[in-house]
Amino acid sequence: VVGMTLPAFADTWYIDDGDISISAGENGNKVTQGGKTKENDTDTVITNRKPSTASSNTVTIDADEGKTVNVTLDNVTINVDEGYEHGYDPNAYKTAVSVTGSGNTNIELNGNNTLTSGYGHAGLEHNKTDDSGTLTIQDEKNDDGSAKGSASDTTGSLTATGGYHSAGIGGSDKQDGQATITGGEITATGGNGAAGIGGGAGDTDAVGGDGDVTISGGTITATGGSLGAGIGGGAYGNGTVTVTDGDITAKATGNYGAGIGGGFGAIPKDTLIGGNGTVTISGGTITEASGGYMAAGIGSGYQGLSTVTIEGDAVIKNAQGGEAGAGIGSGTYGDSEIIIRGDAVIENAESSGNGAGIGSGQGDLYPDGDGMVIDPTVGNVTIEGNAKIENAKSGYGGSGIGGGAIGIGNVIIRGNAQIGNATGGEEGAGIGGGALGTGDVTIEGNVTIENAQGGAGAAGIGGGAETEPDTEDTRNKVSIKSTEAGSPNITATGGGAYEDDYVSLPGGAAAIGSGSVADGATEVKSDITVEGKVTINATGGGDVAIGDSINGETQFSGLQVGTTITRRN
């Protein structure tokens, strides 16, 4: 009938038949394969005729500004990895699936999909530029196209592997990457220098490397290559990661990248390039986040700054920092700003050594003329609301919560927060400073601290061991007070005397106050304030339970009826 508009119907496109190009049309997608072009394809489905046999053909998706392309991958297997057959020029190699354009692309997952790209390209590639749109990976329908909502629902999956310097999902070589994941079972592995999900490898001219990742559902397993984060930045890249739901396992298998957060940070010309981690987790479960050597489990990579917010009903089952990196916080030589609030639960946050369980990574100590220069990191940690920390621990040198080795710990715990175990490593406070670091700790309200245990020579709450004053005003500061929210209930134990081949700390540390120092050194004093109604059970590792060896036990007056302060040495 002349002039009649006929409806468009979806075709199934077989990747075995050749490369596929998709762009946004007026009323659907424009799809081209070989000599065939179809306009207004309303539900583009790509599949394999033989899913068990990988195709060497590719998919390119280009969404124009203001438009959206919707594509379903249905049991697609693409492998275009040719090793190093064409030398070291990324332009000579293929991308399994490439997403470009200023518009938005949604990829629905049906069945099991596997994408493997060549040298310099991400498995599922989406390079972030100033005018690029978004890539969203989703699993909103069952494999048969029906709506979800029953016990027979199916889950689509994607396994994406990047080539050298390229993310599993996200950026290619010298490119930033962006990805949003709302569902599905995702396994992403980055090539050397790249994140599992996020940025490709950048360079020392600050070109590429950043990763911008948002996760609101799904089961995610992401593994970064050397210098890259599991989820976040690649080498020389920053990671900006937002999690509102899902079950996530993220690992940095090489050195210097965070499990979730920043990649390797460098300072080639007095300016930090990459490494920073900005992570917000407001829901879901982090089953594991493991950082590489000198990097945090959740936070920043080597030398990067960490800004971490954990809130809502988020659950962190295990955040493991690499050596000299915090479990949650910063990597080596990096400061941290950490807020844990709402109903968030941290089951375990741990550094393998020299980083805080929650706080900063290791600081720096180096010779200068006739003396040594101490360049401490700073761990700023606030725990509030109904947040619960079950275990925060350092292997050695760092605090449980606060500073890493050669690190200052500024810690605020308030509201209805609960701390189970905060355990410092050798010379690190339970809550406060790491080895050679002071602690500034404020505890107020209906706070429960079941066990703040200082490592050998370090306070349970307060300063680390071997901390000497830089000025007359240097202090370990601890304030404990009740508020309208309630009264603190605290148990703290100082570390005992300590001696090894390098240092001898003949005196043990206070439960609340200062750590101990070597013979002949001047110990940092303590400034301790207790107000209102409190319950404190303090066991010193030496002669002082609450105070320091210079002024002895701190005396308190004017406390409310019901206060209990028990001191033991």
Side-chain angles (χ1 to χ4, degrees):
V1 178
V2 177
M4 188 174 187
T5 301
L6 298 177
F9 296 96
D11 275 355
T12 296
W13 301 83
Y14 294 96
I15 189 65
D16 321 61
D17 296 343
D19 295 343
I20 299 173
S21 297
I22 305 168
S23 60
E26 292 299 323
N27 297 297
N29 298 332
K30 177 181 178 181
V31 185
T32 299
Q33 184 179 39
K36 176 183 177 182
T37 296
K38 181 174 181 181
E39 302 279 357
N40 301 325
D41 191 24
T42 56
D43 186 9
T44 303
V45 178
I46 301 174
T47 189
N48 281 64
R49 295 186 186 279
K50 298 180 180 180
S52 60
T53 302
S55 172
S56 60
N57 297 319
T58 64
V59 178
T60 302
I61 303 170
D62 183 28
D64 294 334
E65 183 176 1
K67 296 185 178 180
T68 299
V69 172
N70 296 303
V71 176
T72 296
L73 298 182
D74 185 352
N75 290 297
V76 173
T77 302
I78 300 173
N79 188 340
V80 292
D81 182 12
E82 300 172 283
Y84 297 92
E85 182 175 338
H86 307 295
Y88 301 99
D89 178 11
N91 294 325
Y93 296 89
K94 296 180 180 180
T95 308
V97 175
S98 175
V99 175
T100 62
S102 300
N104 302 321
T105 297
N106 301 320
I107 295 180
E108 171 78 13
L109 301 177
N110 283 351
N112 300 316
N113 301 278
T114 301
L115 307 176
T116 305
S117 289
Y119 176 94
H121 292 281
L124 173 50
E125 188 169 292
H126 184 239
N127 294 321
K128 182 181 179 181
T129 64
D130 292 340
D131 61 353
S132 60
T134 61
L135 164 65
T136 300
I137 302 167
Q138 60 191 36
D139 183 28
E140 297 185 351
K141 299 178 182 179
N142 290 310
D143 290 354
D144 61 4
S146 63
K148 293 197 173 187
S150 70
S152 60
D153 285 350
T154 58
T155 300
S157 72
L158 171 64
T159 299
T161 304
Y164 182 80
H165 276 187
S166 301
I169 300 172
S172 61
D173 183 31
K174 295 185 177 62
Q175 297 290 331
D176 301 331
Q178 180 275 330
T180 297
I181 299 172
T182 65
E185 184 173 331
I186 312 295
T187 301
T189 303
N192 185 40
I197 303 174
D203 62 21
T204 55
D205 292 323
V207 176
D210 294 348
D212 188 343
V213 181
T214 300
I215 298 171
S216 60
T219 301
I220 319 295
T221 301
T223 305
S226 181
L227 309 182
I231 300 175
Y236 310 107
N238 303 312
T240 301
V241 182
T242 301
V243 178
T244 59
D245 202 356
D247 189 320
I248 298 169
T249 298
K251 301 179 181 181
T253 54
N255 296 332
Y256 308 133
I260 300 175
F264 169 69
I267 309 178
K269 299 176 182 178
D270 299 325
T271 300
L272 177 67
I273 298 174
N276 299 330
T278 302
V279 181
T280 301
I281 304 171
S282 59
T285 300
I286 308 300
T287 298
E288 181 178 354
S290 300
Y293 174 66
M294 291 189 170
I298 300 175
S300 65
Y302 174 67
Q303 300 192 116
L305 306 178
S306 166
T307 303
V308 178
T309 302
I310 302 173
E311 58 190 358
D313 59 357
V315 176
I316 312 298
K317 289 186 173 294
N318 184 31
Q320 178 68 58
E323 185 175 346
I328 299 174
S330 56
T332 304
Y333 306 151
D335 297 339
S336 62
E337 295 284 344
I338 301 167
I339 299 176
I340 303 171
R341 60 191 177 193
D343 295 313
V345 176
I346 313 296
E347 294 185 7
N348 186 59
E350 185 173 347
S351 170
S352 60
N354 285 329
I358 301 174
S360 69
Q362 176 184 306
D364 199 6
L365 177 68
Y366 56 91
D368 183 22
D370 297 330
M372 299 294 291
V373 174
I374 297 176
D375 187 7
T377 55
V378 179
N380 296 313
V381 183
T382 299
I383 303 169
E384 58 189 2
N386 299 313
K388 183 177 182 181
I389 313 297
E390 295 182 3
N391 187 55
K393 179 181 179 181
S394 177
Y396 49 87
S399 67
I401 302 173
I406 320 172
I408 296 169
N410 298 326
V411 182
I412 298 172
I413 306 173
R414 59 193 176 195
N416 298 308
Q418 299 179 56
I419 311 296
N421 294 303
T423 307
E426 292 176 357
E427 303 193 34
I431 301 174
L436 280 71
T438 56
D440 188 342
V441 182
T442 298
I443 301 167
E444 55 186 29
N446 189 35
V447 171
T448 299
I449 300 176
E450 297 178 3
N451 178 36
Q453 173 68 61
I461 299 175
E466 296 193 81
T467 304
E468 297 186 46
D470 293 324
T471 70
E472 293 182 359
D473 294 329
T474 300
R475 294 284 191 278
N476 289 304
K477 300 176 182 179
V478 181
S479 173
I480 304 171
K481 64 181 181 180
S482 60
T483 67
E484 293 180 356
S487 304
N489 189 329
I490 299 168
T491 299
T493 305
Y498 175 62
E499 183 173 0
D500 63 14
D501 293 338
Y502 303 99
V503 63
S504 176
L505 305 174
I512 300 174
S514 295
S516 57
V517 296
D519 285 334
T522 302
E523 183 177 298
V524 169
K525 297 178 182 179
S526 294
D527 185 354
I528 302 171
T529 302
V530 177
E531 298 179 11
K533 178 184 175 181
V534 301
T535 301
I536 299 175
N537 189 339
T539 303
D543 296 334
V544 178
I546 303 177
D548 57 68
S549 63
I550 299 174
N551 295 320
E553 293 286 342
T554 302
Q555 303 302 312
F556 307 105
S557 61
L559 299 176
Q560 290 182 6
V561 174
T563 289
T564 302
I565 300 179
T566 304
R567 309 184 196 222
R568 301 182 182 85
N569 59 25

